[in-house]
DNA sequence: GCCGAACCGTACCGTACGGTACTTTCGAGA
DNA sequence: TCTCGAAAGTACCGTACGGTACGGTTCGGC
């Protein structure tokens, strides 16, 4: 059964930040989750037990601190790679279900919600790339990962589509539905592990109803 | 061909706000679209040519002004009601396509983007109901409208599902996909009328592939 | 023409926050 | 033990913004 495999690496040396700096970034993340977007440099300094001056020295300004935090967090979330070579249909479905599980788990996590809120609230106004960073490590990363899988599935004769991007986008919609916008708008969508697995299976089944080549239909 | 029918009523007496007040709210909306979330009471007063004191007298405080704006805008967007009685399958599909068109049109509109950004950025922190207001007038309103249609379609033998809410949620995902999160994060997703219609038709077709009773499959 | 209400424009206040400067502390190396 | 640099702690500055106060103007009713 596909347990969530979105790995949070314990994260030391794979990053451009020193250990102390990562402590600071971790504090920022905590504050973002706990306090929402209203984090001040003073709160960060106090929480991380460092001086404001150090913050500015390391990260330039507030925007730089936020950007660094988002990038650092993004570098930590890695969807487990796919290595399925002998793609029978059951295996393909399993991979898709695992993908969906991972995605739903990440989407509904506190950190992801806080990060997305932060990026969205800045997307309209200031010149900053938080939005594109989140985008690159969110939907786009998922697409880059999933597309080869879908194409392998097509190659093995289990799927049928002309536009891979469109097929991916469809899968995305089937998995995410209105869940993300609802959590972002503050609704308490509590999904436990079991529910996530159910949703993921349903989404995969529906996906095969659309793009599957010779499926038995109807749930 | 389904033109967008999300009607923006010219909006006078159907509201709880006087004409002058609606001018102010309109100015707020303009500012939210142009400037992003960083709107100040002073900017609003200057833009609407009214005094700050009047703003506070009418709306209480900043939060009240934002809430009033969101509610006012929500009261303006009305998806055209469905009156299809003799639901043959073609009519049902047409209704769904129109729905999808309306929804995509609204989702990608400047005003909707600005409103959602505003609501999302406040959802995590302050005690305020912007999020739930947007939610009520967004996905939930769409669901309330669409659910009877789906059930009529089921009654007429064109659709097959047990959980109507789930079927709606699926349709939502097929229509919206990753479009909303991308526009909210600042990507420039430009959809012209023709593309929207294509997307809507595709979504409807896919929906029937999942929930249709006796459909001819594959695009 | 007078009065009061509504409202505009503007000046003002308090505070919160981003950013900077200065002092103190701590720890490593000579 | 002395020195030096890095970083903590703190005080400070400028400004932006929410919210209030007040004088001036318009306008409808008498």
């Amino acid at each position: 059964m596909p347990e969530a495999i979105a790995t949070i690496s314990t994260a030391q040396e794979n990053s451009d930040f020193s250990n102390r700096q990562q402590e600071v970034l971790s504090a920022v993340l905590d504050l973002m989750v706990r306090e929402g977007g209203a984090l001040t440099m003073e709160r960060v300094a106090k929480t991380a037990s460092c001086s404001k001056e150090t913050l500015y020295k390391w990260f330039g300004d507030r925007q730089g601190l936020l950007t660094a935090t988002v990038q650092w967090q993004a570098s930590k979330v890695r969807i487990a790679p796919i290595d399925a070579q002998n793609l029978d249909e059951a295996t393909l479905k399993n991979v898709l279900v695992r993908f969906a599980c991972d995605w739903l788990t990440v989407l509904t996590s506190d950190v992801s919600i806080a990060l997305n809120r932060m990026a969205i609230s800045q997307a309209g106004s200031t010149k900053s790339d938080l939005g594109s960073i989140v985008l690159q490590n969110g939907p786009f990363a998922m697409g880059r990962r999933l597309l080869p899988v879908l194409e392998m599935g097509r190659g093995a004769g289990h799927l049928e589509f002309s536009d891979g991007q469109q097929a991916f986008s469809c899968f995305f919609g089937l998995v995410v539905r209105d869940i993300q916008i609802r959590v972002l708008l503050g609704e308490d969508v509590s999904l436990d592990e079991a529910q996530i697995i159910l949703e993921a299976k349903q989404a995969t089944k529906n996906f095969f109803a659309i793009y599957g080549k010779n499926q038995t239909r109807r749930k």
Side-chain angles (χ1 to χ4, degrees), chain A:
Chain A
M1 194 43 45
E3 78 285 15
I5 50 178
T7 57
I8 310 291
S9 69
T10 38
Q12 275 89 353
E13 69 294 338
N14 67 340
S15 163
D16 298 337
F17 302 107
S18 73
N19 280 8
R20 182 71 183 109
Q21 287 173 330
Q22 294 188 39
E23 286 179 35
V24 171
L25 296 179
S26 172
V28 174
L29 224 44
D30 279 355
L31 276 180
M32 270 170 48
V33 170
R34 290 212 313 270
E35 316 269 326
L39 52 76
T40 71
M41 300 299 276
E42 195 168 351
R43 297 289 303 256
V44 172
K46 183 146 293 189
T47 305
S49 293
C50 75
S51 71
K52 282 169 67 176
E53 188 164 18
T54 304
L55 292 183
Y56 285 102
K57 185 173 177 181
W58 284 348
F59 303 104
D61 56 7
R62 191 186 127 99
Q63 195 56 233
L65 177 62
L66 295 182
T67 303
T69 305
V70 172
Q71 278 175 329
W72 179 64
Q73 168 63 19
S75 78
K76 287 197 304 181
V77 176
R78 289 271 167 267
I79 302 280
I82 308 297
D83 55 351
Q85 289 303 338
N86 49 351
L87 259 191
D88 57 11
E89 186 160 321
T91 305
L92 174 60
K93 282 184 180 174
N94 259 336
V95 170
L96 292 184
V97 169
R98 273 179 29 180
F99 240 98
C101 279
D102 281 358
W103 200 243
L104 287 173
T105 303
V106 169
L107 273 195
T108 56
S109 71
D110 287 343
V111 171
S112 163
I113 294 173
L115 245 46
N116 275 278
R117 283 199 184 131
M118 174 74 62
I120 286 174
S121 63
Q122 300 203 346
S125 46
T126 333
K127 169 73 191 72
S128 90
D129 277 348
L130 287 195
S132 62
I133 295 173
V134 172
L135 218 41
Q136 282 298 330
N137 295 279
F140 293 168
M142 184 190 177
R144 283 194 302 272
R145 281 286 184 192
L146 196 50
L147 204 48
V149 176
L150 297 182
E151 281 166 353
M152 284 167 63
R154 180 175 58 179
H158 307 310
L159 296 174
E160 193 174 24
F161 55 84
S162 57
D163 183 344
Q165 196 57 44
Q166 196 176 18
F168 158 72
S169 175
C170 178
F171 185 68
F172 182 101
L174 287 171
V175 173
V176 175
R177 298 161 148 202
D178 57 354
I179 292 176
Q180 186 166 28
I181 188 64
R182 280 162 58 195
V183 297
L184 287 179
L185 281 170
E187 193 190 347
D188 180 30
V189 180
S190 52
L191 289 180
D192 59 23
E193 192 72 20
Q195 285 172 300
I196 285 181
I197 292 174
L198 272 182
E199 299 261 4
K201 284 183 171 176
Q202 186 67 43
T204 302
K205 186 180 299 180
N206 289 343
F207 182 72
F208 268 82
I210 297 172
Y211 289 107
K213 202 158 188 177
N214 43 5
Q215 75 295 351
T216 64
R217 289 192 55 257
R218 184 58 18 73
K219 58 163 189 254

